[in-house]
Amino acid sequence: MPSFSLPPPQDPVLTFLSGLFEGVLGVAAALALALFVLPSANYLSLATDLEICTAFAGAAVFFYLWFRDRCGTGLLYAAGAFALCGVANIAWYATVLTGAGTFTFPGLIDMGFVASILLLSSAYSRLFPERQVRGLILFAILLLTLVIPLAILVTEDISRQTLMILLYFFASGSIIITGLNHVPRDNLKALAGTLLFALAFMIYPLFETFFSGNPYLPLFGALVVAGLSLVVLGLLPPATCTPSPEPAVAEPPGDS
């Protein structure tokens, strides 16, 4: 007689978290659509609030998963990256609110954003094994990400702004390379989220330097929220917690 296997029972917590971040992803998509239909800087506060909430919620999810499954330090690195992104956004918000509506780019807050990108990149290298993508391909991707900032350095001369743009692009290119070299190809959510997250932080310094006050600036927040949400959805178990085989125990000498 044919045997039938029942599907594994669903974890209600993971089901709730998936639904929550899918909803946040939908809100980010709606915000981006609203910006294209009716661009306005008034969306900036909403985008920043949503970005802060998503970052801290993602950090809490990763810490919960690490505490529940204890699958190495990768999830702790991811939690730290999300939390640092949230803290940097709060600092940006506080600077704007207490600084008569002004924000000087670049500043210490930008180093917090760059650190969060690099920390998330480190999380990938601890969560997933290296896939051995061809070095030439990875090098070509890094070169492509550096074309714009290097062109700006040549045309605008060296300054704090242009050097920070280069740093943002280098960090963003690094996380794209690490994602391609570690995240499994079938984990499209994590890969897409990584790409959106990196793209957002390549757009942000350009807007701050050349298009300050542009009504499309809130698009940066929508991209970050979408990227963070997709990364969380992609890193939910079982993607980040594959049980490792138990080490073999050697038999004592003389036993058979």
Side-chain angles (χ1 to χ4, degrees):
M1 295 179 60
S3 60
F4 298 94
S5 59
L6 295 175
Q10 290 186 336
D11 187 327
V13 175
L14 297 182
T15 301
F16 168 76
L17 292 175
S18 296
L20 175 64
F21 281 92
E22 285 172 357
V24 174
L25 181 61
V27 173
L31 177 60
L33 180 61
L35 278 167
F36 279 110
V37 174
L38 187 63
S40 172
N42 294 329
Y43 291 111
L44 186 58
S45 178
L46 173 61
T48 306
D49 290 341
L50 187 60
E51 199 176 333
I52 292 170
C53 292
T54 306
F56 282 118
V61 168
F62 291 139
F63 183 77
Y64 160 74
L65 294 175
W66 172 84
F67 184 79
R68 188 190 73 166
D69 300 326
R70 301 298 174 105
C71 292
T73 59
L75 288 172
L76 287 180
Y77 274 74
F82 274 56
L84 189 56
C85 184
V87 169
N89 270 290
I90 290 177
W92 180 88
Y93 222 155
T95 301
V96 171
L97 292 178
T98 60
T102 61
F103 170 70
T104 302
F105 174 87
L108 187 60
I109 297 169
D110 295 290
M111 297 307 298
F113 284 131
V114 170
S116 70
I117 300 170
L118 296 176
L119 199 57
L120 184 58
S121 179
S122 297
Y124 287 158
S125 63
R126 287 165 171 79
L127 286 169
F128 304 106
E130 191 172 0
R131 286 199 342 227
Q132 297 296 330
V133 177
R134 290 184 179 179
L136 187 60
I137 295 176
L138 299 180
F139 182 70
I141 292 173
L142 182 61
L143 282 181
L144 286 174
T145 59
L146 294 179
V147 166
I148 292 177
L150 290 177
I152 292 173
L153 277 174
V154 171
T155 57
E156 299 288 334
D157 295 327
I158 298 177
S159 65
R160 292 188 303 118
Q161 287 81 7
T162 55
L163 288 176
M164 183 57 70
I165 290 174
L166 178 63
L167 185 57
Y168 266 113
F169 272 73
F170 176 78
S172 299
S174 297
I175 195 174
I176 292 174
I177 289 172
T178 306
L180 291 174
N181 204 31
H182 286 271
V183 179
R185 290 185 179 87
D186 58 351
N187 195 335
L188 297 180
K189 291 179 181 177
L191 289 173
T194 301
L195 183 59
L196 287 178
F197 187 67
L199 179 62
F201 282 104
M202 287 189 282
I203 291 174
Y204 169 69
L206 297 178
F207 267 68
E208 287 289 1
T209 303
F210 302 109
F211 308 104
S212 182
N214 190 286
Y216 287 102
L217 182 59
L219 182 62
F220 158 75
L223 287 175
V224 173
V225 171
L228 294 177
S229 301
L230 283 168
V231 169
V232 173
L233 291 169
L235 298 188
L236 288 176
T240 54
C241 194
T242 304
S244 57
E246 294 293 331
V249 179
E251 294 183 358
D255 291 349
S256 57

